[in-house]
Amino acid sequence: MTDRSPDLDADVDVDTTAPDHTGSPATRVLGLAALATLVLWALYGLVWSPPDVNQSDAVRLFYVHVPSAILAYTGCFLTAFASGMWLRRRSRGWDALAAASAELGLVFVTITLVTGSLWGNVTWGTFWTWDARLTSTALLAVMLVGYLALRRVEISPAGSARAAVMGLLLVPNVIIVNRSVEWWRSLHQTSTLMKLEPSIEGEMLTAFAVGMLAGALVFAWLLIHRFRVAWLEQQVEQHDLEAAVAARRAEAGVPQTTKTTEAQPV
Amino acid sequence: MELVVHFRAAVALLGRFPALAGIDLDVARGQIVLLRGPNGAGKTTLLRACAGLVPVVSGDAVVLGFDLCQDPRPVRSRVGLLAHSTGLYDDLTADENVRFWGRACRASRAEIDAALAVVGLDGTLGKVPVRRLSAGQRRRTSLACLLARRPELWLLDEPHAGLDRDTRDQLDGLVRQAAKQGATVLFSSHELDRAEALADRTVELIGGVAGLTADPDPSPSREAAGVA
Amino acid sequence: MWRDIALVAERDLRIELRSRVTANQVAPFAVLILLLFAFALDPDRGILEKATPGLYWVAVLLAGVLAINRSAALDDADGTRDALRLSGLEPPAVFLGKVAAVAAELLALEILLAVGVAVLYDAELSGFGLLAATLVAATVAIAAAGTLYGALVGGLRARDTLLPVLLLPVLAPVLIGATRAFESALGTTVTAGWAWCGLVGGFAVVYLVAGSLAYGALLEDS
């Protein structure tokens, strides 16, 4: 018996007393750390770091925009990695991870797009510039939405090959899209976010670094919780499955045994 | 006695539903076995599981020497499945369909021609697009696809349904002939009189379970006649 | 292997010839898109001429999605997916066979649209080497990615609406590259046309490989 889909033979300790939260000592520490760095980040970002020479306070959006972008792509790569691992191992944990990180990726992509768009509005008066990063991030957003739409249509207890293949393909897609969009936009000398990115140093660098750290902690915290929720959902399905097998057997009039594995004819 | 099918406490899922909740089944080579049971009992799923199309998640399931729990794919080219769905392309003719499926499983031209001839589709009827054929004629086309494969294990899901009496007789003849030549046949049917006359033995399937309560013994006289 | 690829390609093309869906439905749709662009962009203002490469490829993509949807639908027919799994045909061969068939249909569509564009938008074609190379590369790229994603959504009830949403973002680089290459060939902009063509070709290779590897897993998951 290989370790594939619901392994009814395994010693799975289906916890029938359902937990009422997905927290744990580790996540509480993580959560507090995240909260603390967020506060620090807000302080640095809004108060302690100086306004930029050229852009004054608009530059503060960068402290949100860039870390969000990095985290969005991290979520995307994580989904691809988890999908690849699922295809090799076929265990539900990897599927749950792929789903969780895709959702988080979408959240951060949205933040990236909104902050980028706001920044553009403040600086040039338009909400959208066909800047390379913004454009390819928009495409990433559409791809993540499509991925999540696919997952919604295709529901299966232990994950599905469709979702996994699509998840895995996200990485080559993103890379190809990024390369081509950047090359394309570089043909036109339009001002880009990246060109106008201030040379960050001193306190601005600190603000940026703190922002990165805060973002990473928040990402990790959310990811762990979302993963656990997905894991619990799968546990429930496993439990339901064993109940369904038992019910079907009762319907057939088979003498009931405690474990499904022991139902051997004597 | 070589066991072509060997199942012990096998469980198979359709999505999340345990269509097979515990199957005990042994079928020897050359036997013709009837699967009986109410609708929803899992007969179709059992046949598809034997074809390697439905994953078996727990228990033992060995068909033609291949372990279905480990990898169901090798068994597929050795079996022939006649299902509820036709497995045919509506826009192609019966002849084109059988040729495609025959060539796909490496059947020779002679084998394909013979299969078409047996079911009476080698003439003008074979040149008609499947969408214009009747249900019985489509079933015959699917049967030709199965015959061209020369499978070791025949899996027939309610093969008599929708066929006229002559065609049913012809089908029964083909089944008996195949069993004499060493193939094994597993089929389900609601046509109990005809089915029981054809089968060597009967297996009851209820609620996805077979064999866990009773162990149907093969009838000695039939078995002696059936095995090559 | 090559035998199987030819077998599957022949099957798909034969069905198309018999049912004429691409010819009777997709092709008119493609020409219709060209007309709609003209209505929207007012031919007298000179925008159509300048935008011809882009509009052409948008029309190809939209009509292509229809053709690919049709190709994917072939394998959803009455139990044929099961029969395919039972047949012993290697999934990569099935994939490449379908790609070949869809590519042939797309090529026919593209030539039709090229004629349409030359006539309706008064475009002057030049740089035929680059045009031809780009056509081939983009056709294979669209066919390969399309067949892969077609299999990904095949068998699902939402196939018709999901396919465009999943496929079009993925094909964005092909649109960008093919349009730039065409612009270079037609002389409207000075840019490294062959480099863009190479990008599209690379995309095609990536998806031919990815599709061959993934098709087996996707066939199982129904």
Side-chain angles (χ1 to χ4, degrees):
Chain A
M1 267 291 301
T2 51
D3 181 8
R4 289 171 320 163
S5 38
D7 190 349
L8 300 175
D9 286 356
D11 257 24
V12 171
D13 209 345
V14 180
D15 193 354
T16 43
T17 60
D20 26 63
H21 57 84
T22 51
S24 73
T27 58
R28 279 190 208 104
V29 169
L30 186 61
L32 283 174
L35 206 54
T37 15
L38 268 177
V39 172
L40 214 63
W41 181 34
L43 284 172
Y44 262 108
L46 295 173
V47 179
W48 289 337
S49 71
D52 178 63
V53 178
N54 298 322
Q55 305 162 38
S56 74
D57 284 314
V59 79
R60 300 189 197 279
L61 278 169
F62 264 121
Y63 304 137
V64 181
H65 175 79
V66 177
S68 293
I70 296 178
L71 288 171
Y73 282 94
T74 306
C76 170
F77 277 70
L78 200 52
T79 299
F81 179 71
S83 297
M85 289 307 296
W86 184 88
L87 281 169
R88 287 192 58 206
R89 299 286 164 77
R90 305 269 162 162
S91 75
R92 332 168 232 165
W94 290 111
D95 182 62
L97 184 60
S101 68
E103 284 181 12
L104 283 184
L106 187 58
V107 168
F108 282 100
V109 149
T110 314
I111 296 176
T112 308
L113 288 175
V114 168
T115 49
S117 163
L118 280 176
W119 189 90
N121 189 45
V122 166
T123 327
W124 297 309
T126 52
F127 272 111
W128 187 264
T129 61
W130 289 96
D131 158 72
R133 178 157 70 215
L134 222 47
T135 309
S136 35
T137 307
L139 271 171
L140 174 63
V142 177
M143 286 196 250
L144 283 176
V145 168
Y147 174 78
L148 291 170
L150 179 67
R151 287 197 72 101
R152 186 156 295 217
V153 170
E154 171 63 14
I155 23 169
S156 166
S160 76
R162 296 171 200 268
V165 168
M166 175 158 184
L168 191 55
L169 283 174
L170 281 178
V171 163
N173 283 339
V174 161
I175 294 176
I176 296 176
V177 164
N178 268 32
R179 287 293 109 216
S180 36
V181 170
E182 268 178 36
W183 186 12
W184 169 45
R185 296 318 287 158
S186 73
L187 297 177
H188 309 261
Q189 296 306 310
T190 52
S191 27
T192 64
L193 290 180
M194 293 184 291
K195 272 201 176 162
L196 291 178
E197 235 163 58
S199 50
I200 340 178
E201 51 199 2
E203 297 230 290
M204 297 171 83
L205 185 59
T206 323
F208 184 76
V210 171
M212 231 10 274
L213 186 60
L217 288 173
V218 168
F219 186 92
W221 187 81
L222 284 172
L223 185 67
I224 293 178
H225 278 282
R226 182 65 187 89
F227 174 80
R228 285 187 182 167
V229 169
W231 181 260
L232 285 175
E233 281 172 355
Q234 285 169 344
Q235 293 275 63
V236 168
E237 280 168 15
Q238 164 77 331
H239 188 62
D240 283 347
L241 171 65
E242 297 188 353
V245 173
R248 198 135 153 83
R249 290 190 174 192
E251 181 191 317
V254 174
Q256 281 303 314
T257 52
T258 43
K259 273 221 161 115
T260 54
T261 51
E262 284 162 14
Q264 301 280 347
V266 179
Chain B
M1 198 201 322
E2 183 195 344
L3 283 184
V4 163
V5 176
H6 171 74
F7 277 46
R8 278 288 176 279
V11 173
L13 301 178
L14 281 184
R16 281 178 236 183
F17 175 69
L20 300 180
I23 301 288
D24 274 14
L25 183 63
D26 282 329
V27 179
R29 180 173 289 282
Q31 283 191 328
I32 304 174
V33 177
L34 165 66
L35 293 181
R36 236 173 50 171
N39 287 335
K43 305 190 290 293
T44 299
T45 310
L46 178 55
L47 290 169
R48 292 182 52 150
C50 290
L53 291 177
V54 172
V56 176
V57 300
S58 134
D60 291 334
V62 179
V63 173
L64 291 169
F66 296 103
D67 184 356
L68 295 183
C69 294
Q70 239 189 14
D71 188 3
R73 287 171 300 178
V75 84
R76 291 176 186 169
S77 44
R78 315 286 244 279
V79 308
L81 177 66
L82 194 68
H84 284 298
S85 56
T86 58
L88 303 173
Y89 297 105
D90 281 349
D91 293 304
L92 298 181
T93 67
D95 181 84
E96 285 164 349
N97 266 286
V98 177
R99 283 200 194 284
F100 171 73
W101 288 116
R103 283 162 69 193
C105 47
R106 309 274 188 271
S108 72
R109 204 191 159 106
E111 286 167 337
I112 298 175
D113 288 338
L116 282 166
V118 163
V119 298
L121 287 169
D122 50 341
T124 41
L125 198 55
K127 306 281 187 285
V128 174
V130 165
R131 69 167 72 247
R132 296 222 295 264
L133 294 178
S134 72
Q137 290 163 336
R138 291 181 202 189
R139 184 57 72 83
R140 278 156 60 189
T141 313
S142 306
L143 183 58
C145 294
L146 186 152
L147 290 171
R149 291 166 72 98
R150 299 178 170 275
E152 295 170 51
L153 174 62
W154 289 37
L155 302 163
L156 312 176
D157 198 353
E158 300 194 23
H160 297 123
L163 296 180
D164 62 37
R165 195 158 51 135
D166 287 340
T167 321
R168 285 184 196 177
D169 288 337
Q170 188 189 32
L171 176 60
D172 290 352
L174 286 169
V175 166
R176 288 200 183 90
Q177 189 183 33
K180 273 212 200 77
Q181 288 167 350
T184 313
V185 179
L186 204 55
F187 75 107
S188 69
S189 184
H190 288 296
E191 302 273 329
L192 291 184
D193 293 334
R194 176 179 287 272
E196 277 167 3
L198 178 61
D200 296 330
R201 58 184 253 243
T202 304
V203 171
E204 288 285 342
L205 200 63
I206 303 180
V209 171
L212 289 186
T213 44
D215 212 331
D217 282 316
S219 147
S221 58
R222 283 247 179 84
E223 196 190 77
V227 175
Chain C
M1 172 84 160
W2 291 105
R3 225 195 54 122
D4 290 348
I5 295 176
L7 189 64
V8 173
E10 185 201 339
R11 172 201 74 179
D12 276 17
L13 286 174
R14 189 178 291 230
I15 294 180
E16 167 49 37
L17 276 172
R18 203 57 68 69
S19 65
R20 297 199 181 286
V21 167
T22 308
N24 290 351
Q25 295 167 25
V26 180
F29 176 65
V31 175
L32 192 56
I33 296 177
L34 291 184
L35 291 175
L36 288 178
F37 280 146
F39 298 158
L41 298 177
D42 198 349
D44 298 326
R45 286 197 288 162
I47 306 178
L48 278 183
E49 280 82 29
K50 278 198 269 183
T52 296
L55 298 177
Y56 175 83
W57 283 111
V58 169
V60 168
L61 274 189
L62 292 179
V65 167
L66 276 191
I68 287 165
N69 198 10
R70 167 72 179 149
S71 167
L74 288 181
D75 286 305
D76 283 348
D78 203 18
T80 48
R81 196 172 259 237
D82 276 349
L84 212 54
R85 288 159 75 192
L86 287 174
S87 69
L89 285 172
E90 290 288 336
V94 178
F95 172 74
L96 292 173
K98 288 188 78 72
V99 170
V102 166
E105 290 168 22
L106 284 176
L107 212 48
L109 215 53
E110 284 161 7
I111 292 173
L112 172 71
L113 278 175
V115 170
V117 151
V119 167
L120 293 172
Y121 297 175
D122 208 16
E124 280 170 33
L125 304 178
S126 61
F128 282 103
L130 183 55
L131 281 186
T134 309
L135 263 181
V136 170
T139 305
V140 176
I142 298 173
T147 305
L148 174 53
Y149 278 86
L152 219 138
V153 300
L156 296 176
R157 277 163 297 138
R159 184 195 69 224
D160 297 323
T161 40
L162 257 186
L163 182 62
V165 171
L166 298 190
L167 185 57
L168 288 175
V170 169
L171 288 179
V174 175
L175 177 60
I176 295 175
T179 307
R180 301 287 100 65
F182 262 38
E183 280 173 354
S184 170
L186 296 184
T188 41
T189 54
V190 182
T191 170
W194 284 102
W196 283 109
C197 183
L199 173 79
V200 176
F203 183 100
V205 170
V206 167
Y207 270 93
L208 282 175
V209 171
S212 303
L213 293 175
Y215 205 74
L218 291 176
L219 262 188
E220 290 301 308
D221 203 54
S222 53

